[in-house]
Amino acid sequence: MELLDQLQGQLLDLLDRAMSEAVQSYPPQGGPPSDSLSKTQEPSLKKRKVFVIRKSLLDELMEVQHFRTIYHMFIAGLCVFIISTLAIDFIDEGRLMLEFDLLIFSFGQLPVALMTWVPMFLSTLLVPYQALRLWARSQAGGVWTLGMGLGCVLLVAHITLLGVLPVHVASEYQLPPASRSVLVFEQVRFLMKSYSFLREAAPGILHAKGGKGVQAPSFSSYFYFLFCPTLIYRETYPRTPSVKWNYVAKNFAQALGCVLYACFILGRLCVPVFANMSREPFSTRALVLSVMHATLPGIFMLLLIFFAFLHCWLNAFAEMLRFGDRMFYRDWWNSTSFSNYYRTWNVVVHDWLYSYVYQDGLWLLGGQARRAAMVGVFLVSAIVHEYIFCFVLGFFYPVMLILFLVIGGSMNFMMHDRHTGPAWNVLMWTMLFLGQGIQVSLYCQEWYARRHCPLAQTTFWELVTPRSWSCHT
């Protein structure tokens, strides 16, 4: 009983802290606006993200021994995969050796991706800031048209470079999935950061009367923003007093472990099942069984992506840069509605969508039609997610688009926040299991179908038509 009381007390303390931090993140509408907000004449319904010093939720939960045990169970699972691989290799080949063929293939031609990243970064570093300085000078000097025109030309060139260069390199060099992931995630990140910087800084310059007090933000603040783990630009952020390098190394090591874990899961649970599926006659039974089989590796992949990126990777960079606000996610695993899940799964992206798609869309609609603004958020998010999948896998198969926009959007309105019982949390997890199973199954089938049944002639409709529908030899 004492153990349960202690655990309950710790959980209640964490919940109270999380609730207070969530309230602090977006202050009430009636609160006093900041100086930068009043200068830009933002609409009254605008809520600005407020950054405060706080830990990531998992770091706080890891202070509880019982949650650390769950973490240890996942490490034990990785050990089991390694032992299984060694045992199978010893039985089949008579030798003990860990092969990383899948990992080596996935990160093939990584230097090409990294070299492509350099001009993408330099363009993001120089062009938006120089465009803003041109606008500021034109306001102060009175040459408004010329400065605005040159700034816009620079931004068009910047967007064109970010849009075309990664796609060209990925298709020209036939980059494998992991190397493509580096390019597409950096492409999307640079575009989102460029927009946030201009969206936050430009109104103050453009609304300045007669060019009085016009001054672009410091270059050092913009340079810091490009690396810190947030998509919302501010001139300053709360900073921690020092860097814990052992914490940085631990998070990078955990991220690497998650990559190895994912390779073992794909190699042991997915490749043997789907590699030859397209060579067998199609049947509904085989399709349903493949989806059910893929639910376990699918949910494992979801958890690994969450832990590796949203916790380990972002916290490592936050610690190196002394970035104080570590709330990159909330307790999404406790969600009883999909609306709460979407808000808490990835707070970094949610803040950007909420600030620049939902709130700006609501402002353009005159403060009305909140559902239309919410649909706009789903549409933008679904299209970007589908683009990422298409870029990484090298083919168009709108599974993510349908699951995210149609099914996820419907669930967002049907499973609203008024449902709080445990049965709704069970239902949400069931939907996540099935959704991940559908994605893993269909994408794996399409991947191998395109290798077993290459096209003799490449036409547009053949490129966008799923090959797994017809490739059954």
Side-chain angles (χ1 to χ4, degrees), residues 50-85:
V50 176
F51 294 90
V52 297
I53 294 181
R54 51 192 161 187
K55 291 182 178 180
S56 288
L57 185 55
L58 281 185
D59 282 336
E60 295 182 339
L61 291 175
M62 287 297 181
E63 297 174 3
V64 181
Q65 176 63 37
H66 308 286
F67 287 95
R68 284 202 301 271
T69 301
I70 298 175
Y71 171 72
H72 297 158
M73 291 168 62
F74 276 91
I75 297 178
L78 176 59
C79 295
V80 169
F81 273 114
I82 295 175
I83 294 172
S84 171
T85 302

Side-chain angles (χ1 to χ4, degrees), residues 30 42 64 96 118 156 168 177 188 201 309 332-333 340:
E42 292 286 349
V64 181
L96 290 175
V118 174
V156 169
H168 171 73
V188 174
F309 180 71
W332 59 269
W333 48 86
N340 185 69

Side-chain angles (χ1 to χ4, degrees), residues 277-283 286 472-473:
M277 190 171 176
S278 60
R279 294 175 175 173
E280 300 172 358
F282 173 80
S283 67
H472 291 281
T473 58

Side-chain angles (χ1 to χ4, degrees), residues 304-333:
L304 287 172
I305 292 172
F306 159 73
F307 185 72
F309 180 71
L310 290 175
H311 181 76
C312 298
W313 189 262
L314 295 185
N315 269 296
F317 273 87
E319 187 64 31
M320 287 191 295
L321 297 171
R322 295 170 44 222
F323 184 79
D325 197 334
R326 313 286 175 87
M327 194 182 71
F328 308 124
Y329 54 87
R330 295 194 182 106
D331 58 335
W332 59 269
W333 48 86

